[in-house]
Amino acid sequence: MISEPRLYGAAIVAMVLSALLMYLVPLIPQVVIDGVLLESGEGPSSFERFILSLLGGSEFVGRNLWWPGLVILFLSVLAGAFAYFRGAFSAKATERIVQRMRDNLYQKLQRAPVGFIDRSETGDLIQRCTSDVDTVRIFLSAQVVEVARAIAMLIVPLPFMLLISPVMTLASIVFLPVIVIFAFFYFKRIRVAFLDVDEAEADLTSTVQENISGIRVVRAFAQQEQECEKFDGRNGRHRDLDNHLYRVLAWFWSISDLMCMSQKIIVVGLGLVLLGLGHLEVGAFFFFLTVVSMFVWPIRQMGRILADLGKAQVALGRIGHVLEQPEESHGETGVELARESLAGAISFRGVTFSHPESDPVLHDISFEVAAGSTIALVGPSGCGKSTIINLLMRFYEPDEGSIELDGIRLSEIDRTSLRSNLSVVMQEPFLYSRSLMDNLAMGRDGAEEREIVEATTVASIHDSIMEFEEGYSTVVGERGLTLSGGQRQRLSIARALLRDPAVLVLDDALSAVDTKTERAILAALKDRKHRHTTILIAHRLTTVMQADEVLVLDEGRIVDRGSHDELLKRQGIYRRFWDIQHKGMDSLNDDSSGDSA
Amino acid sequence: MSQGTPHVEDVLGTIDRGLWRRIASHGRPYSSSAIAMVIGGVLIAVVESMLPLVTGWLVDAVVDQSSPTRMTWLGILYVSLCVGFCVLVWWFIVAAGRLATGLAHDLRQASFKRLQQLEFEYFDLQPAGWLVSRLTSDCRKVASLMPWFLLDLCWGITFLILVATAMLLIDYELALYVMTIVPILVVVTFYFQGKLLRSSRLMRKTNSELTAVYNEGIMGVRTTKSLTREQENLSEFQVVSDTMHRHSMTNAIQTSIFLPIVTSVGSIGVGIALWAGGLQIADGEGLSIGMLVAFMQYAVLFAMPVQELAARLSDLKGAQAAAERIQGLLDRVPAIRDSDEVLDRMREMQGVTSDELAIDGGDADINTIEFKDVSFWYKQGEPVLLNLDLAIRPKETIALVGPTGVGKTTIASLLCRFYEPCEGGIYINDVEYRKRSLHWLQSNLGIVLQHPHLFSGTVAQNIAYGMPGISKDRIIQAATQVEAHGFIEQMPQGYESEVGEGGGRLSIGQRQLIALARAVLADPQVFVMDEATSSVDTETEHHIQQGIEAALADRIAVVIAHRLSTVRSADRILVVESGQIVEQGSHAALLEAGGAYRELYRRHFAGSS
């Protein structure tokens, strides 16, 4: 495969050749007019005689006027072929670079630590991966090429022009610097107008977005008219700014057109004078007129593109910021865990953790979970329960202390191997927009249907799936069926079970499941207890009461621990939660003791 | 890939003229700009087609050594044509701006207004992002191509006619020879525009796929890492990025082959002009050198208008889908709206102020609400509610309980007239609510939903939503009543803290509390709470219980909750199962009865003896 720099080099060569040929085309009618058709005047210059001799001499051309016509066509086709090569080569190199950029970005997003994603806004990241990449693509494939073409178009004909008439050459380029400088500075100055419109449009978009996602609230408060007014204000502002931009551009195009026209007027004016004085041939005049029309427009574009270069630079910087992020170490020479010999004992020793530049989330956390047992974490929201899971999964690394699995420090275990043996189900689980079967099979490649049904049965979701028209082939997510929160949770539990993990973590993963189903799932999980260690996080205390040990967390510390019964006796925070949640129990027990055993 | 002739048809064949006429009719307020553009387009064509001719005259005048006055006049004509051209450029861009931005504005305005009227079913079916792009990119696309289409149509056609006329006038025989390239130009141009339209469509489609995959990669990063699927995901991504590469290359190759071919066809014209024109001059048949120069310039000029016309038609075709979507949205009749009868009464009531009469002339107060024989289904044949009867008495708090998916939320949605019964009717003070104003009903309801939506802005602004100018004290009072005051005070800027997009900086529980405060502050006649405190933590929920009870007293309230501790204090509890009320009564009475409620209750606390 040819390297990209070589492709660009080839594109430049093709571009120069194409420009050269394009200028030869107007040269043909010039020499024919001056050397063959026109009897008056001084006769052709030596250069024109040279070209004419290449065509077969004035005698031959005069007798066969179809011949120069054919040469014009031939040269055009050849110029076109080189122009095509220029486009094809530069596109090939650019698209390759861009694809590599896209792939690297995706890989980076997959491999960067979770913390980076957490700190970033999704929309912003996506913009970096799509529209910023596109800006770079346009820069490479169009803008660089445009500027190079403008320069080639200007430089290539210069020797010919100088040969024919140095005075006319000077007249042909005298106004160009003004055109470029005007375009450059004008666009620099009106960048604000572009930014204003972009901003107003973003404003408009977020107004619509909010209105639609909050449409129920809008209706519930009968605020349609106020919302319309709010929208009208932003819509009007956007129109005015956009209209202003059009006006600013109208001035630019008309003034720069006037400048380009002036350049042509200078050529025509001086040319006519020289023509009148007999210092210039008609054919040469035609040549200069054509050449000026050919390079004046690309040169005008050049100023505008140069002013726009800042955009590409900003986009590159934004892409670079993502690509610079460190990756989670993968394939490091860590311990590979073998599932068969893995028991699933966990120990936290003096673990402290804080997010960058903020107060610690966890203080000196220590606990042990025996292999195959069930531990529950309870406490108010924000007390650090989920952080413990993040540390266990090595989404984050502890600041102090150590975490061990079967007596091996997590930091010594190969990250992929560690995660393959742990399964976490989150409160708001993520499903890929594919079929249910694909989502489940992601748990383990090559899982048999029997195993999948077994897992979905334990998670109490099999029957619901069978009720869907397309069963396990139902596509879910953005482009498919929207599942309820409870269904998503149950599906993810099934997915987690399929992995046959050594440690199963349910991080508030039953919150959207109704009580009856929850009990069924917990009971089924209990039957498989010997197969994995379980960590349960829940608000509902009835969920956690079967755990072998319950850890009560508050503000990042373990404030109490013990079995459900022990904790109930202690009159602490656990007892208080229990009482609040079970206020109604008394009335039930009063008239039916023994029924609820 | 299918190849062949359909490309030409792609550009021309399927343009829906009726649709575009309707879109254009939205631009009627800007018809003066449109007329300005038509005039500008025609004039610019005149100026542009005259320039080569005047250049030719000038050359002849010099060669023939004409009088200085003639040369001066021709010079002045040439310069003023150039200046006139620039003035016209300014003129049509300004007119185009007015037309494009005005049309976009009006289309957006109308679409937004329509969105405010459409029923929820519509929103249930369309993803939010899809609707947003109707109002943003689709409107922009459709509106901004209009002026350029108009301009290039007028300019292109006039220009073609004028160039042809000029050539025919100079030398009709030579003109006919040169014009043989026009059909070739048309075929080539339309063929390539068709191809380009296709490949750029494929590029756009793949690009949105690419965006979706990135989105999934970011949103699902934890899941991906948990399932250790980084490598698989990357290979799947590469399939899409390969496709994108392929389509981009196709498009780039087509673009770079298109222009050279058009230029080459143009040069055939120049070749013919030189050959045939040169023969005439050599034979001394009267064609002047200057006119030959003009002729050759004209021969090149044919390509431009043909190319522009094809490009604009292709734009039109490319934006047709967007135009259809906008027009479709505007044409959609809201399924839930005030009847003509209600609208008539509201017109009559305009200017009348009364405490007892609402804006539609009916009762202002809501005393009773009654569901009579109500059936409802989202999908024919799968009723969610079947012949439901339910009478809510004045100032009564009722609670709906039962397993997920039995129709509790549907009952609330029907009450709020977010949906209407498919059969039966809902009566407010014995008047069927479809005979009342929708706006009146909804502005008297306080609705708090399980997934509360906050608007970006401050906490205070969100609590005071719909009540601008209300005092800070009352905001604090409402927040205090639902126990939100404590956590709000702890936020860095207290009530002035930004909640972030969609309330993203707050936990779901906190969002629920703010939504609750918002409803309490609005002081509605009827409260509807659908799982309004499901994510509030146990202790807080316990604390707000009293505040909520106070808020619900003295008005009709409908409460839906999973947590049975929340519903115990209701005047009446209704157990819903498969779209019907199977049991009702007070908490104590229902426990006593030992039916479905007791079973539900027992299960809720089971195992905790």
Side-chain angles (χ1 to χ4, degrees), chain A residues 29 37-38 65-66 73 76 80 91 95 99 102-103 106-107 110-112 114 118 122 125-126 129-130 137 201 204-205 210-214 216-224 227 231-232 235 238-239 242-243 246-247 250-251 253-254 257-258 261 268 272 275-276 282 285-286 289 328 330 390 393 395 416 419-420 428 430 432-434 442 478 495 499 514 516 545 576 578 580-585 587-588 591-592 595, chain B residues 55 58-59 62-63 78 85-86 89-90 93-94 97-98 100-101 105 108-109 112 115-116 118 120 124 131-132 136 140 203 210-211 214-216 218-220 222-234 236-238 241-242 244-245 248-249 252-253 256 260 264 267-268 271 275 278-279 289 293 296-297 404 439 442-443 445 447 453 455-456 465-466 508 518 538-539 542 568 591 598 601-603 605-608:
Chain A
L37 299 178
L38 209 65
L65 273 170
W66 54 271
L73 177 61
S76 294
E95 293 300 337
Q99 186 182 15
R102 288 196 184 110
D103 288 354
Y106 187 80
Q107 173 134 349
Q110 299 269 294
R111 298 251 154 109
V114 171
D118 286 348
T122 312
L125 284 181
I126 289 179
C129 297
T130 53
R137 187 177 77 95
E201 186 167 345
L204 204 62
T205 309
E210 269 206 337
N211 175 269
I212 291 171
S213 44
R216 284 182 156 73
V217 179
V218 173
R219 302 286 171 88
F221 284 79
Q223 290 294 301
Q224 291 94 320
E227 287 287 308
F231 179 77
D232 287 2
N235 194 13
H238 176 260
R239 177 195 53 201
D242 206 10
N243 200 20
Y246 267 95
R247 280 174 171 274
W251 283 112
W253 290 116
S254 53
D257 270 352
L258 191 63
M261 292 277 192
V268 171
L272 287 175
L275 211 57
V282 179
F285 172 72
F286 176 58
L289 196 58
E328 284 185 327
H330 264 267
N390 281 333
M393 290 297 282
F395 288 151
T416 311
R419 287 178 188 162
S420 312
E428 288 180 356
F430 181 84
Y432 294 88
S433 40
R434 304 172 199 202
M442 265 176 208
E478 256 178 54
R495 179 167 70 185
R499 286 168 73 78
D514 66 62
K516 187 176 161 193
M545 41 188 284
R576 203 166 74 238
W578 181 263
I580 295 166
Q581 285 185 10
H582 294 80
K583 253 192 331 190
M585 275 308 292
S587 51
L588 198 60
D591 49 39
S592 69
D595 186 64
Chain B
T55 318
L58 273 169
V59 172
V62 174
V63 172
Y78 183 80
F85 178 83
C86 301
V89 165
W90 181 88
I93 296 181
V94 168
R98 218 176 284 145
T101 59
H105 173 268
R108 284 190 177 121
Q109 201 97 322
F112 190 81
L115 278 186
Q116 303 310 304
L118 286 173
F120 285 159
D124 293 344
L131 286 173
V132 170
T136 52
R140 173 171 11 99
M203 261 173 85
L210 211 60
T211 311
Y214 273 123
N215 192 35
E216 207 169 67
I218 297 169
M219 304 291 282
R222 277 194 156 74
T223 306
T224 302
K225 284 180 189 292
S226 306
L227 297 174
T228 55
R229 281 187 51 86
E230 288 96 332
Q231 204 50 51
E232 287 90 335
N233 279 2
L234 181 64
E236 282 166 15
F237 174 81
Q238 271 165 339
S241 88
D242 278 344
M244 185 69 191
H245 180 256
S248 308
M249 271 315 283
I253 295 288
S256 40
S264 298
S267 71
I268 298 179
W275 173 28
L279 275 180
I289 295 282
V293 172
M296 285 191 289
Q297 286 190 339
T404 329
H439 180 81
Q442 290 181 344
S443 53
L445 302 177
I447 306 164
H453 181 85
F455 295 89
S456 50
Y465 181 72
I508 300 176
R518 176 156 72 188
T538 314
E539 219 169 8
H542 173 60
R568 270 202 328 250
L591 273 189
R598 189 190 159 81
Y601 204 72
R602 193 187 63 83
R603 221 185 281 133
F605 299 117
S608 55

Side-chain angles (χ1 to χ4, degrees), chain B residues 107-115 135 139 326 329-330:
Chain B
L107 285 175
R108 284 190 177 121
Q109 201 97 322
S111 308
F112 190 81
K113 202 167 167 206
R114 181 46 45 95
L115 278 186
L135 265 78
C139 283
I326 297 171
L329 172 63
L330 293 176

